Amino acid sequence: MKLKFAKGNLLKSVNIVMKAVPSKTTMPILECILIDASSSIIKFTSNDMELGIETIVDGTIEERGIIALDAKIFSEIVKRLPDGYVTIETNENLETIITCGKARFDIPGRSGEEFSYLPMIEKTDGIEISQFTLKDVIRQTIFSIAANENNKIMTGELFEIKDNCLKVISLDGHRISIRKIELTHSYENKKVIVPGKTLNEISKILSGEMDDKVNIFFTNNHILFEFDQTKVVSRLIDGEYFRVDQMLSNDYETKIKINKREFLDCIDRATLLVKEGDKRPVIINIENESLKLHMDSAMGSMNEEIGIEKEGKDLMIGFNPKFLIDALRVIDDEIISIYLVNPKAPCFIKNEEEDYIYLILPVNFNSVR
Amino acid sequence: MKLKFAKGNLLKSVNIVMKAVPSKTTMPILECILIDASSSIIKFTSNDMELGIETIVDGTIEERGIIALDAKIFSEIVKRLPDGYVTIETNENLETIITCGKARFDIPGRSGEEFSYLPMIEKTDGIEISQFTLKDVIRQTIFSIAANENNKIMTGELFEIKDNCLKVISLDGHRISIRKIELTHSYENKKVIVPGKTLNEISKILSGEMDDKVNIFFTNNHILFEFDQTKVVSRLIDGEYFRVDQMLSNDYETKIKINKREFLDCIDRATLLVKEGDKRPVIINIENESLKLHMDSAMGSMNEEIGIEKEGKDLMIGFNPKFLIDALRVIDDEIISIYLVNPKAPCFIKNEEEDYIYLILPVNFNSVR
């Protein structure tokens, strides 16, 4: 095999497929990037058996062939090569020579035969959205998946398609994040649970441009994201997702409008009095046209007041500050609305259109004070 | 006590004194910043008993007083306050109220009585150099002090003043770094060993501007750096420094001139084949007008060639690539000269004027290949 690439193209493609290379595995072949130039195009593939990425690379095939190269070494070499044209050449012993300018690397390769190609996904019922939107939706929901694997379903996000609406939901037992996207037309209804890891990795590859599109296809066990010259295939998480609709409510006793930046900075200041791991709540006192925030810890106490618009009753309620911060950080609106019922009922941060809904459970602060 | 500051000034001063706050100590008072407004100026002091910093802070004294505040909490509060004016107020119980806009923090303070002030340094025989130069000299030598404390003297740098020349030297048993600075006039001869930690911390505070000056004073046990509104006092390391002059030589069998960037990038590429902790040498073969670089490891091999200007004999020699990289990174010259004798003798990287001299011991590569 003999291939030639502009260094920039090669680096871009290697960075894409690196996202599906497992850091630890018992199968050394999975630590490789497969370079397949057996036909008239050059394809790089990586696959950790949960998540697989395939990308077409711009380059010249001087001699066809296939080789699997250790992903870490290969990517390090490409990263540090000088700018210019890079040649990758292999011989029958799978020895691989990578040259660029006067630099030459000799590294061992592996036969591509043991490599697991991506599963074939039948492309029916695909939806199309912009890369910008998908990246944004992931950013605005991914923080509230559960970190530990005790409940597998909580480590993923629900992607639900209903007519012309895509709804993405994550929850971890303390909070729920919901984002709704209007699609350009109606599709067959679908509900799948996508692993959080897949979403994290894909959002690193997505361009984030409004004009760049991504097509998403579903089978019973897999989801396929197709964009630019890249395919990302992931297993889905098995099981029935939580019935989130039952947990939502439009009733409220108190509604406030508050400047998001002011509120976020204020909670952020309060948390400096809390040591990592300490579950001390921030106490919010809504009274007339102001929100008073109070934090108390062994290090000291903090009080601050923010002007608000209020409808309904006064209220005192406690929250884990991290949960408020996580949600406020990803909301783009300058002024946000918060809906509350009583100190034991969840609060909702949402906009009029309900493009986004963040539900956060309060904390019993009487026991702490 | 009641003081008022513009937030920017306060933050700048806190960041300066934070550099001498120990992260771990058995004396809690050392974890504090002392705020002394007992006279007509406001001074912040920190002191870990090796290194002490005192800085004058721009602010208004509404009521005189002294308080010691936990440095970590205090600095976090100042960092996260909104922009505006910050008031620090204490009462007779040492309770401290920090307010800014509508934010208010209540934290406990400590009496300043237990606090160790900086030692008085008599200011005679001071030398003056630019902050730019001092910062630069530290950057260009600090990497070759010894990391471990087995030999205390190696953890510091020699500051030697001889007539109108300041020489700064560090060494770790494998290499020596020397920088010479011409002073504006002659001073009394001096030789002191300054702790590496002091130099690391001070270089973070120095402005790095050519026009900003720093005055350096010496006593038998201490060094004092005075600049802007700040004093940094450090203990010196006791003992006799190594007699470095005996290790230097102007004889050579081979002299090469090489593009620094090309050489550095090339060694950097070679090291990707070396796992952390592996002491594999890079082998350099000087032949006619070229330098061939070779690296061999379990991961693969690398060869590269760089054009050079050569005087004298051909030579093959091995080096720990890290030592070459460390020196090359801090040299500003585009073209550098390297002087070699034989595969077992140290190499010297230096310029004509010997402003800088880097001595690096070679590695016996026959045993490794």
Side-chain angles (χ1 to χ4, degrees):
Chain A
M1 187 187 79
K2 190 172 179 186
L3 312 175
K4 205 168 170 183
F5 307 90
K7 190 213 159 178
N9 290 336
L10 183 59
L11 183 59
K12 199 186 93 198
S13 304
V14 169
N15 283 341
I16 289 173
V17 288
M18 280 305 283
K19 302 290 182 290
V21 175
S23 48
K24 269 186 228 167
T25 164
T26 49
M27 293 169 65
I29 188 71
L30 298 184
E31 290 171 14
C32 290
I33 292 173
L34 183 76
I35 301 178
D36 183 343
S38 58
S39 66
S40 60
I41 52 168
I42 309 173
K43 268 196 290 192
F44 286 5
T45 309
S46 60
N47 190 351
D48 74 3
M49 305 310 279
E50 285 276 320
L51 174 66
I53 303 179
E54 185 184 289
T55 194
I56 294 169
V57 192
D58 293 329
T60 316
I61 303 175
E62 297 188 358
E63 191 191 321
R64 292 186 178 191
I66 292 192
I67 191 91
L69 296 179
D70 182 279
K72 221 168 126 195
I73 297 173
F74 180 49
S75 78
E76 276 298 320
I77 290 175
V78 173
K79 223 178 277 172
R80 300 205 211 175
L81 284 175
D83 286 335
Y85 280 90
V86 181
T87 307
I88 302 177
E89 202 176 344
T90 59
N91 65 19
E92 64 280 6
N93 298 325
L94 306 172
E95 287 159 5
T96 304
I97 302 163
I98 303 171
T99 48
C100 179
K102 284 190 169 173
R104 170 186 166 143
F105 282 91
D106 290 74
I107 58 170
R110 283 167 169 274
S111 144
E113 283 166 26
E114 318 156 50
F115 200 88
S116 300
Y117 279 86
L118 303 196
M120 274 298 296
I121 305 291
E122 212 185 324
K123 292 192 216 165
T124 51
D125 296 336
I127 66 163
E128 185 188 82
I129 59 175
S130 81
Q131 294 196 34
F132 170 82
T133 303
L134 180 57
K135 196 169 170 144
D136 221 32
V137 163
I138 294 172
R139 175 179 69 89
Q140 290 173 328
T141 52
I142 197 75
F143 61 86
S144 62
I145 60 170
N148 75 52
E149 299 265 322
N150 292 347
N151 189 331
K152 187 79 185 166
I153 287 176
M154 284 194 191
T155 65
E157 297 200 349
L158 181 71
F159 274 58
E160 182 179 2
I161 297 159
K162 215 174 187 173
D163 305 326
N164 70 337
C165 174
L166 166 67
K167 209 195 275 185
V168 177
I169 304 181
S170 69
L171 60 80
D172 68 358
H174 302 284
R175 50 192 170 155
I176 306 175
S177 304
I178 305 176
R179 277 283 280 121
K180 282 180 208 157
I181 310 298
E182 205 180 305
L183 302 171
T184 46
H185 54 278
S186 285
Y187 295 92
E188 203 187 307
N189 294 355
K190 277 251 146 62
K191 260 186 172 181
V192 299
I193 308 169
V194 188
K197 186 178 171 295
T198 296
L199 297 170
N200 265 323
E201 297 303 336
I202 203 170
S203 80
K204 291 178 202 158
I205 318 175
L206 290 167
S207 72
E209 294 298 324
M210 210 50 145
D211 290 340
D212 296 343
K213 300 295 173 192
V214 49
N215 285 285
I216 309 176
F217 302 95
F218 307 89
T219 68
N220 288 335
N221 300 313
H222 289 95
I223 187 166
L224 162 63
F225 299 88
E226 220 177 46
F227 54 100
D228 306 330
Q229 294 182 303
T230 301
K231 283 182 192 178
V232 178
V233 178
S234 166
R235 270 185 207 269
L236 295 170
I237 296 175
D238 248 1
E240 183 87 20
Y241 202 72
F242 307 93
R243 301 180 69 172
V244 169
D245 284 341
Q246 298 177 342
M247 308 175 203
L248 305 180
S249 145
N250 283 318
D251 300 337
Y252 63 89
E253 298 282 328
T254 310
K255 176 183 170 185
I256 64 164
K257 284 191 179 190
I258 190 165
N259 180 297
K260 191 205 83 165
R261 191 76 249 165
E262 271 186 61
F263 193 31
L264 177 55
D265 286 349
C266 178
I267 303 168
D268 187 50
R269 271 194 281 285
T271 54
L272 72 88
L273 295 175
V274 186
K275 284 214 181 98
E276 183 111 4
D278 186 350
K279 288 199 178 132
R280 208 161 281 276
V282 61
I283 292 154
I284 287 171
N285 194 1
I286 296 165
E287 222 178 77
N288 305 324
E289 299 299 285
S290 87
L291 180 150
K292 286 182 189 135
L293 199 136
H294 176 73
M295 170 64 84
D296 220 350
S297 87
M299 291 187 230
S301 70
M302 186 260 200
N303 287 285
E304 191 161 343
E305 200 177 324
I306 303 174
I308 56 169
E309 268 179 50
K310 192 194 72 174
E311 269 176 45
K313 296 185 187 167
D314 286 349
L315 177 76
M316 197 190 267
I317 187 166
F319 289 104
N320 178 332
K322 184 186 180 313
F323 295 164
L324 286 173
I325 289 174
D326 282 349
L328 294 174
R329 271 204 189 126
V330 298
I331 298 177
D332 296 325
D333 292 346
E334 201 179 324
I335 304 291
I336 56 166
S337 300
I338 307 179
Y339 300 80
L340 302 129
V341 179
N342 65 52
K344 298 198 169 172
C347 91
F348 290 89
I349 308 174
K350 58 183 183 184
N351 64 354
E352 291 273 324
E353 302 77 24
E354 301 202 340
D355 291 332
Y356 63 82
I357 305 176
Y358 295 100
L359 174 158
I360 301 172
L361 288 180
V363 178
N364 184 355
F365 59 89
N366 291 316
S367 61
V368 187
R369 288 193 100 176
Chain B
M1 187 187 78
K2 190 172 178 186
L3 312 176
K4 205 168 169 184
F5 307 90
K7 190 214 159 179
N9 289 337
L10 184 59
L11 183 58
K12 200 186 93 198
S13 303
V14 169
N15 283 340
I16 289 173
V17 287
M18 281 303 283
K19 302 290 182 290
V21 174
S23 48
K24 270 185 229 167
T25 165
T26 48
M27 293 169 67
I29 189 72
L30 298 185
E31 291 171 12
C32 290
I33 292 174
L34 182 76
I35 301 178
D36 184 342
S38 58
S39 67
S40 60
I41 52 168
I42 309 173
K43 267 196 290 190
F44 286 5
T45 309
S46 61
N47 189 352
D48 74 2
M49 305 309 280
E50 284 277 319
L51 175 66
I53 303 180
E54 184 184 287
T55 193
I56 294 169
V57 192
D58 292 330
T60 316
I61 303 176
E62 297 188 0
E63 191 191 319
R64 292 187 179 191
I66 293 194
I67 191 91
L69 296 178
D70 182 280
K72 223 170 127 194
I73 297 174
F74 180 49
S75 78
E76 276 298 321
I77 290 175
V78 174
K79 223 179 276 173
R80 300 203 211 177
L81 284 175
D83 286 336
Y85 280 88
V86 181
T87 308
I88 302 177
E89 203 176 343
T90 59
N91 64 19
E92 64 282 6
N93 298 324
L94 306 174
E95 288 159 3
T96 305
I97 303 164
I98 303 171
T99 47
C100 181
K102 287 190 168 173
R104 170 186 165 140
F105 282 91
D106 289 73
I107 58 171
R110 283 166 169 276
S111 142
E113 283 166 27
E114 317 158 50
F115 200 88
S116 302
Y117 279 86
L118 303 196
M120 275 298 296
I121 306 292
E122 210 185 325
K123 293 192 216 166
T124 51
D125 296 336
I127 65 165
E128 184 187 84
I129 58 174
S130 82
Q131 294 196 32
F132 170 83
T133 303
L134 180 58
K135 197 169 171 143
D136 221 33
V137 163
I138 295 172
R139 175 179 69 87
Q140 290 172 329
T141 51
I142 197 75
F143 61 87
S144 62
I145 61 170
N148 76 51
E149 300 263 324
N150 290 347
N151 189 330
K152 187 80 184 165
I153 288 177
M154 284 194 190
T155 66
E157 297 200 349
L158 181 72
F159 274 57
E160 182 179 3
I161 296 159
K162 215 175 187 174
D163 306 323
N164 70 337
C165 174
L166 166 67
K167 209 197 276 184
V168 177
I169 304 181
S170 69
L171 60 80
D172 68 359
H174 302 284
R175 49 190 170 157
I176 306 175
S177 304
I178 305 175
R179 277 282 279 122
K180 283 180 207 156
I181 310 297
E182 206 181 304
L183 301 171
T184 46
H185 54 277
S186 284
Y187 295 92
E188 203 187 309
N189 293 355
K190 274 249 147 65
K191 259 186 173 183
V192 299
I193 307 169
V194 188
K197 185 177 172 294
T198 295
L199 297 171
N200 265 322
E201 298 303 336
I202 204 171
S203 80
K204 291 178 199 156
I205 318 175
L206 290 168
S207 73
E209 294 298 323
M210 209 51 145
D211 291 341
D212 297 343
K213 300 294 174 195
V214 49
N215 285 286
I216 309 176
F217 303 94
F218 307 89
T219 68
N220 287 335
N221 300 313
H222 290 95
I223 186 167
L224 162 63
F225 300 88
E226 220 176 46
F227 53 99
D228 307 330
Q229 296 183 302
T230 302
K231 282 182 193 179
V232 178
V233 176
S234 166
R235 270 186 208 268
L236 296 170
I237 296 174
D238 247 2
E240 183 86 19
Y241 202 71
F242 307 91
R243 301 180 70 171
V244 170
D245 283 341
Q246 298 178 341
M247 308 175 204
L248 305 180
S249 145
N250 282 317
D251 299 338
Y252 63 90
E253 297 283 328
T254 309
K255 175 184 172 185
I256 64 165
K257 285 192 178 187
I258 189 165
N259 179 296
K260 191 205 85 166
R261 190 76 249 165
E262 271 185 60
F263 192 30
L264 177 55
D265 287 349
C266 178
I267 302 168
D268 187 48
R269 271 194 280 287
T271 55
L272 72 89
L273 295 175
V274 186
K275 283 211 183 99
E276 183 112 4
D278 185 351
K279 288 197 179 135
R280 208 161 282 274
V282 61
I283 292 154
I284 287 170
N285 194 0
I286 296 164
E287 222 179 75
N288 305 324
E289 298 298 284
S290 86
L291 179 151
K292 286 183 190 137
L293 199 136
H294 175 74
M295 171 64 83
D296 220 351
S297 87
M299 293 187 228
S301 70
M302 188 261 202
N303 286 284
E304 191 161 345
E305 202 177 325
I306 303 174
I308 57 169
E309 268 179 51
K310 193 193 72 173
E311 270 176 45
K313 294 186 189 167
D314 288 347
L315 177 77
M316 196 189 269
I317 188 166
F319 288 104
N320 179 333
K322 183 185 180 312
F323 295 164
L324 285 173
I325 289 174
D326 283 348
L328 294 174
R329 271 201 189 129
V330 298
I331 299 177
D332 296 324
D333 292 345
E334 201 178 324
I335 304 291
I336 55 167
S337 299
I338 307 179
Y339 301 78
L340 302 130
V341 178
N342 65 51
K344 300 197 168 170
C347 92
F348 291 89
I349 307 174
K350 59 183 183 183
N351 64 354
E352 292 271 322
E353 301 78 24
E354 300 201 340
D355 291 332
Y356 63 82
I357 304 175
Y358 295 100
L359 173 158
I360 302 172
L361 288 180
V363 179
N364 184 356
F365 59 91
N366 291 315
S367 61
V368 188
R369 287 193 101 178

